[in-house]
């Protein structure tokens, strides 16, 4: 959820993210591969703009540090029953098995149902990230690069939403300019 909603990753990118792609010193994360819906790791991303290096904030580093400690706890707790075949990956279940994009979607739906929340697609977290980038004043080309899009128009067409506050601000800006 964090990787989609806060960093804008696709499910397939998040599920295939290895720890070696986190550069703790330079505070970056490299997106270099994806996972199929069943969880097989593919050595390529969707397209070349999807292969990217993203900056990490101090909050991101704290998140990854905490999650790495949690994974170590799971390994110790599970003992010999822990599946080490995907050691080195970030998105693992408590038993060490890789979280597939399909499982990610299933768990998201269950989370929403269990908490009586509005049903939205997991992919909508990514769209919310795109919208929030633009709302924060990030230039469209920079936002598209962060999202892994070759063309900014792709992001504008499929990933961003207009909210009432944005419309009100646009009208106010226009009114101030032409008063």
């Amino acid at each position: 959820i964090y990787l989609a909603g806060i960093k804008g990753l696709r499910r397939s990118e998040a599920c295939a993210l290895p720890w070696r792609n986190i550069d703790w010193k330079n505070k970056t994360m490299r997106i270099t591969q994806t996972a199929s819906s069943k969880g097989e790791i593919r050595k390529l991303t969707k397209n070349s703009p999807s292969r990217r290096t993203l900056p990490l904030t101090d909050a991101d580093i704290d998140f990854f540090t905490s999650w790495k400690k949690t994974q170590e706890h799971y390994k110790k707790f599970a003992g010999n029953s822990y599946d080490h075949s995907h050691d080195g990956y970030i998105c693992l279940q408590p038993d060490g098995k890789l979280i597939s994009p399909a499982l990610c979607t299933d768990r998201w739906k269950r989370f929403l149902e269990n908490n009586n929340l509005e049903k939205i697609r997991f992919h909508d977290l990514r769209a919310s990230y795109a919208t929030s980038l633009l709302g924060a004043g990030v230039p469209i080309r920079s936002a598209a690069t962060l999202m892994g899009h070759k063309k900014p128009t792709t992001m504008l067409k499929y990933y961003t939403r207009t909210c009432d506050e944005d419309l009100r601000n646009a009208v106010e800006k226009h009114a101030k300019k032409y008063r």
Side-chain angles (χ1 to χ4, degrees), residues 49-83:
S50 295
R51 288 184 292 282
R52 59 203 187 277
T53 299
L54 303 174
L56 297 174
T57 65
D58 289 339
D60 297 329
I61 295 294
D62 290 346
F63 167 80
F64 285 121
T65 301
S66 176
W67 183 243
K68 196 163 185 60
K69 288 177 185 175
T70 299
Q71 276 189 343
E72 292 304 317
H73 171 75
Y74 288 153
K75 283 181 188 178
K76 288 178 186 174
F77 184 75
N80 292 335
S81 64
Y82 190 84
D83 181 351

